[in-house]
Amino acid sequence: MRIVIAEDSVLLLEGLTRLLVAEGHQVTGHRTADELVAALGDPEADLPDVVVTDVRMPPTHTDEGLRAAVHLRGLHPRLPVLVLSQYVEQRYARELFAADARGLGYVLKDRVADVDDFLAALARVAAGGTVVDPEVVAQVLARSTRSALDTLTPREREVMALMAEGRSNSAIADRLVVGLPAVEKHVTSILTKLDLPPDSDDHRRVLAVLRWLEDGPTNGTSR
């Protein structure tokens, strides 16, 4: 794959580059969000298979990387983007996922410590899938105190976290060591409680996990 990375940490950028090159990928690195936008901001740009970007980048180290991702997805709606950050930034994450969650991911940097999980997440996003780190889900659930998420049972929250990883119902059943009918019942209940009628569209499953972006705080605070 052709991969573009936007990361201001030299050590992390070089580490990711070496890891991905060793896996047979072609990697281009950028140290700022402006460089990333300059490289891919032309509507006729030769797009990579996936973009990996940090959230907080120069010059203000607030949300430049995520804003760049939103901008690029606006220009190239099918450009796969994996956000790799230490922080859960709500405001622009909501905008990023609002139109179409396919080909998008939000993974915390601690996940890079598990190489196989990171590579799997990268491949899934590049293939048009959606990945939301379970820890992101956990932080969001803890923060969303006045939403429909409060109506979910502990087991339903476990199921939703696994849905966020892109797992099928059968894979969730295997992970939780329960029967497939039980998982299907939980998924139906989750979608119903979040006012997302069940159907065969995987995008709707992802929207169940991302519903916090609509129901949670909207002041754009980060952690």
Side-chain angles (χ1 to χ4, degrees), residues 92-109:
Y92 288 103
R94 179 172 62 250
E95 187 174 347
L96 180 64
F97 282 94
D100 190 343
R102 285 168 286 198
L104 290 175
Y106 202 131
V107 178
L108 297 185
K109 285 186 176 179

Side-chain angles (χ1 to χ4, degrees), residues 114-134:
D114 190 323
V115 174
D116 289 340
D117 280 354
F118 172 69
L119 293 176
L122 187 64
R124 190 176 301 131
V125 169
T130 307
V131 177
V132 182
D133 194 295

